[in-house]
Amino acid sequence: MKHDELIPKPGSLFIKVKCGKCGNEQIVFDRVSLEVKCNVCDEPLAIPHGGKAEIKGETQQILG
């Protein structure tokens, strides 16, 4: 954290991910603790890896 920032920015973000199998777009957290699957076809979209998640789908947009 920088000392000149009055309000620190969070280190984590939400990401809009497009499923590679069915094309469904879904918003996921970039630091998931459980595997996130597509709501339509049950394909894994984000897999936890201790810190930041491994995003399996195509990243469409980073939401802040």
Side-chain angles (χ1 to χ4, degrees), residues 4 16-17 19-21 24-25 31-32 38-39 41 44 49-50 53-55 59:
D4 58 346
K16 185 185 283 187
V17 179
C19 179
K21 188 174 179 182
N24 179 47
E25 290 185 352
R31 295 177 188 263
V32 297
C38 177
N39 289 333
C41 68
H49 277 284
E54 177 183 351
I55 305 296
T59 300

Side-chain angles (χ1 to χ4, degrees), residues 32-55:
V32 297
S33 58
L34 298 171
E35 183 176 81
V36 177
K37 294 185 178 185
C38 177
N39 289 333
V40 176
C41 68
D42 216 33
E43 187 76 12
L45 294 179
I47 299 172
H49 277 284
K52 288 203 172 193
E54 177 183 351
I55 305 296

